[in-house]
Amino acid sequence: MAAPSTPLDGVDLAELEEVAARVARAAGRLIVDERPDDLRVTSKSTDTDPVTEMDQRSQELILRLLGEERPDDAVMGEEEGSASGTSGLTWVIDPIDGTVNYLYGIPSYAVSVAVVTGDPTRAGSWESVAGAVLNPETAELFSAHRGGGARLTTPRGSRTLHATDATDLGMALVGTGFGYAASTRVRQAALLVDLLPRVRDIRRHGGAALDLCGLAAGRLDAYYETALNPWDRAAGELVAREAGAVVGGPVDDVPTRDLVWGSAPGLAEEFGALVRALSARHVGPLD
Ligand code: LIP
């Protein structure tokens, strides 16, 4: 009897990585070149959770380009607008990850484009198979496809990414981020108080996608965050895994909204156990 067909039958994952990279570059050009001087801002979940007119325009452009290149695939994004599909593949996009940095002119934000199998609305039931994260300010494009390694491409060339060979948690540089809701931050701050004395230092760059790519590029030894959405991590998580980092969640290797962590392979056992224990100790609302 023939094996049942899957959404990846006949699909070239390297080609999907190229689609992700092309689309991210187009959106990156839009948000840099067409950023108005008087950027219009509204807020979403809280007053401190901004969405700019360029987040929305970037998402509209990505939807249009994916509709042309991959008309049978679904699209789910952070902002308004989505597309349904029939292929079983879903593009999970963040049109600007690190919107607060974008708003303030801090050159550390990204366009994140990933394609996943499964249902990205249900934790543990989806998997990224190709993706790209572009920092349009530095022209750094991080990309990967499942089983194909991870790359950093700049105007100067391309290189394969590798997580660090760190093994000493006390010397580890750890990235993290914080949600927008005050209630979520109470829990995040409590975890941080326990973690900070046990590591070299903490970095809060302001965008999960670039944090995960930083882990892949050896700019961080480890990373963790609570209250992330699929679009914040879908592409960066794949880039990190393909660079040899270990990525996990509160129970096993499945990240959830409760906890996403990643680290250099030599730190995974100790760091994973520590952040799991701390996140289990500091429970509370995640808005
Ligand atoms: C942001 C994340 C960041 C996190 C913020 C926020 P946005 O996404 O990437 O790491 O700490 O709370 O979720 O809103 O800029 O797309």
Side-chain angles (χ1 to χ4, degrees):
M1 199 170 74
S5 64
T6 79
L8 294 179
D9 285 349
V11 170
D12 180 345
L13 295 182
E15 262 174 38
L16 293 186
E17 179 183 337
E18 282 171 26
V19 172
R22 255 197 313 278
V23 167
R25 285 189 192 286
R29 275 193 299 275
L30 174 85
I31 60 181
V32 170
D33 293 351
E34 298 195 25
R35 176 190 169 121
D37 292 337
D38 57 339
L39 196 56
R40 277 199 310 274
V41 183
T42 50
S43 52
K44 287 189 298 189
S45 57
T46 72
D47 286 350
T48 54
D49 178 4
V51 56
T52 73
E53 62 190 280
M54 297 310 289
D55 292 73
Q56 192 58 48
R57 285 186 60 195
S58 177
Q59 174 140 336
E60 284 161 14
L61 175 65
I62 294 171
L63 272 165
R64 182 167 65 71
L65 295 176
L66 288 175
E68 287 164 13
E69 291 220 32
R70 303 284 311 171
D72 297 335
D73 299 347
V75 186
M76 178 179 103
E78 179 173 17
E79 311 307 340
E80 277 173 35
S82 58
S84 52
T86 54
S87 67
L89 296 176
T90 302
W91 293 83
V92 177
I93 61 167
D94 194 336
I96 303 181
D97 185 53
T99 303
V100 174
N101 284 348
Y102 181 71
L103 190 59
Y104 279 75
I106 299 170
S108 183
Y109 57 85
V111 178
S112 176
V113 179
V115 59
V116 314
T117 56
D119 178 357
T121 64
R122 288 196 306 123
S125 75
W126 56 277
E127 183 195 7
S128 300
V129 293
V133 173
L134 174 77
N135 179 342
E137 296 279 351
T138 59
E140 290 183 310
L141 179 89
F142 302 87
S143 65
H145 63 269
R146 193 177 68 187
R151 287 151 286 286
L152 168 58
T153 306
T154 70
R156 289 189 302 283
S158 181
R159 69 178 172 90
T160 304
L161 295 173
H162 300 286
T164 67
D165 56 7
T167 54
D168 180 354
L169 186 58
M171 293 301 289
L173 189 60
V174 179
T176 192
F178 308 115
Y180 292 109
S183 51
T184 302
R185 289 178 167 196
V186 169
R187 168 176 168 173
Q188 291 172 327
L191 197 163
L192 184 64
V193 165
D194 282 348
L195 184 68
L196 185 55
R198 302 177 198 223
V199 298
R200 176 197 288 263
D201 209 346
I202 292 286
R203 293 289 180 272
R204 197 297 195 236
H205 290 119
L210 287 176
D211 282 338
L212 284 158
C213 293
L215 175 63
R219 297 172 185 174
L220 294 171
D221 298 306
Y223 163 78
Y224 76 97
E225 190 156 347
T226 53
L228 281 188
N229 291 302
W231 47 78
D232 297 315
R233 65 179 170 90
E237 188 183 308
L238 177 69
V239 172
R241 282 189 207 272
E242 287 295 328
V246 176
V247 178
V251 179
D252 43 30
D253 62 351
V254 180
T256 68
R257 201 169 152 72
D258 267 331
L259 179 65
V260 178
W261 65 268
S263 76
L267 288 172
E269 202 175 322
E270 197 180 358
F271 182 71
L274 178 61
V275 287
R276 278 175 174 148
L278 293 181
S279 84
R281 186 182 307 162
H282 300 295
V283 289
L286 282 182
D287 299 320

